[in-house]
Amino acid sequence: MTASSNTILLFGHSGQLGWELRRALAPLGDVVTAGVDGADRYVDLTDSEALDELVHEIRPVLMVNATAYTAVDKAESEESLAFQINAEAVGQMGRLGAELDIPVLHFSTDYVFSGNGNRPWKENAPPDPQSVYGRSKLVGEQALLASRAQSLILRTAWVYGAKGRNFLLTMLRLFAEKDQLGVVADQFGAPTWSRLLAEAAAQVLAQCRTPEGRFSFGMHDGEIFHLTAAGEASWHEFAQAILEQSDETCVINAISTEQYPTPAARPAYSVLSNDSLWEAFGVRLPHWRQGLALCMEDLFDKR
């Protein structure tokens, strides 16, 4: 595949966010996906030489990184691999961006915070990740910002959608298999539909696109913004909302984090403040319940 002069290089094409970004970014340029399975161009992000060759060959006008090692519990025993993908590869994208004058949009996570709080986390809150996954994502942020490439980082949380592995699809499967199940009720966040997340990111990028079809982050270069749905919920409340909009019947029991131990620590309070993104770009997502209703409507229309 030969890249055009307005190519957007998208990493993470097959994940729940990357899948939606392929469509959302299409009006902004010629999207070329890079990854291992079914991508336009094959690249293994643990192979730094291959990544270097790919970016030099394509010379995109923008790199969008929606890929990550997201197996949060498995990362505790695969720390090296998690850091290769979530930190080292991101830093290399930044260095290539600086060398070739290619801006980089990167997605990060609420896991960079401790989760010990009860008010929405602002972008400038001190990071304190409690897991390998969180630490690797934080180091990726830091490496990108240190690279001096034009960069913009969007932190998000509790992402779900019709693709990949996520809470929504897991609940729908369990509802069909079980009469009752326990869901954690003392962890809080903002469930965010991947399609709305991708469309909002595209809205931000549209404001950063020059008349010549290139991208410039301008006064927001090197900034971090939070982008999640409005409102907040516990996993238990989210599960109940999914059940109410499905055709299944199931009893959902509220349990504590202690009753559902996992190898990696989860933030107890993952709600992110979206005020800065609204002030900078006038972009915000609807309440999580509205996003869920839209996603469920779309999901069941396809069945």
Side-chain angles (χ1 to χ4, degrees), residues 31-286:
V31 179
V32 172
T33 61
V36 292
D37 295 320
D40 297 323
R41 298 298 299 270
Y42 178 91
V43 67
D44 180 346
L45 291 183
T46 65
D47 185 341
S48 60
E49 184 176 338
L51 177 58
D52 187 280
E53 291 176 356
L54 176 68
V55 176
H56 273 86
E57 175 192 346
I58 292 181
R59 299 286 180 112
V61 293
L62 176 71
M63 286 188 278
V64 177
N65 183 37
T67 194
Y69 181 107
T70 56
V72 175
D73 290 323
K74 202 173 180 180
E76 296 295 313
S77 59
E78 293 188 349
E79 182 170 356
S80 177
L81 181 58
F83 270 83
Q84 276 186 292
I85 296 172
N86 293 346
E88 293 169 24
V90 179
Q92 185 178 359
M93 289 177 198
R95 291 190 293 275
L96 289 166
E99 175 190 344
L100 302 174
D101 192 24
I102 305 168
V104 182
L105 174 68
H106 173 63
F107 289 88
S108 192
T109 175
D110 57 306
Y111 275 72
V112 301
F113 298 117
S114 69
N116 298 322
N118 55 16
R119 302 183 68 178
W121 296 91
K122 294 181 180 293
E123 288 83 354
N124 61 358
D128 185 18
Q130 301 295 300
S131 64
V132 168
Y133 170 69
R135 290 196 295 274
S136 67
K137 291 294 289 183
L138 176 61
V139 172
E141 289 184 4
Q142 294 168 337
L144 177 58
L145 296 177
S147 72
R148 298 190 180 278
Q150 272 206 71
S151 61
L152 200 66
I153 296 173
L154 297 178
R155 290 185 186 137
T156 190
W158 287 37
V159 179
Y160 66 89
K163 294 282 293 182
R165 298 178 180 179
N166 57 70
F167 187 81
L168 169 68
L169 298 182
T170 298
M171 287 298 104
L172 290 175
R173 174 177 58 81
L174 291 176
F175 293 159
E177 296 174 354
K178 297 179 178 293
D179 295 326
Q180 61 178 311
L181 65 150
V183 178
V184 171
D186 57 0
Q187 295 174 18
F188 297 87
T192 303
W193 184 21
S194 56
R195 180 172 302 173
L196 295 180
L197 176 60
E199 290 174 350
Q203 289 178 43
V204 169
L205 287 172
Q207 296 182 46
C208 301
R209 191 166 181 257
T210 69
E212 296 76 31
R214 303 194 67 82
F215 291 87
S216 174
F217 297 138
M219 63 183 294
H220 300 299
D221 177 26
E223 288 196 54
I224 299 173
F225 292 97
H226 292 168
L227 177 53
T228 65
E232 63 180 71
S234 68
W235 289 116
H236 179 267
E237 186 178 359
F238 186 25
Q240 281 289 167
I242 296 169
L243 180 63
E244 290 167 5
Q245 297 185 44
S246 74
D247 297 326
E248 305 294 343
T249 57
C250 183
V251 176
I252 306 175
N253 300 307
I255 62 174
S256 68
T257 298
E258 290 183 352
Q259 291 174 283
Y260 189 74
T262 56
R266 264 66 173 174
Y269 190 80
S270 280
V271 182
L272 304 179
S273 170
N274 297 290
D275 292 344
S276 293
L277 189 72
W278 171 253
E279 292 167 1
F281 294 101
V283 173
R284 64 172 31 142
L285 297 185

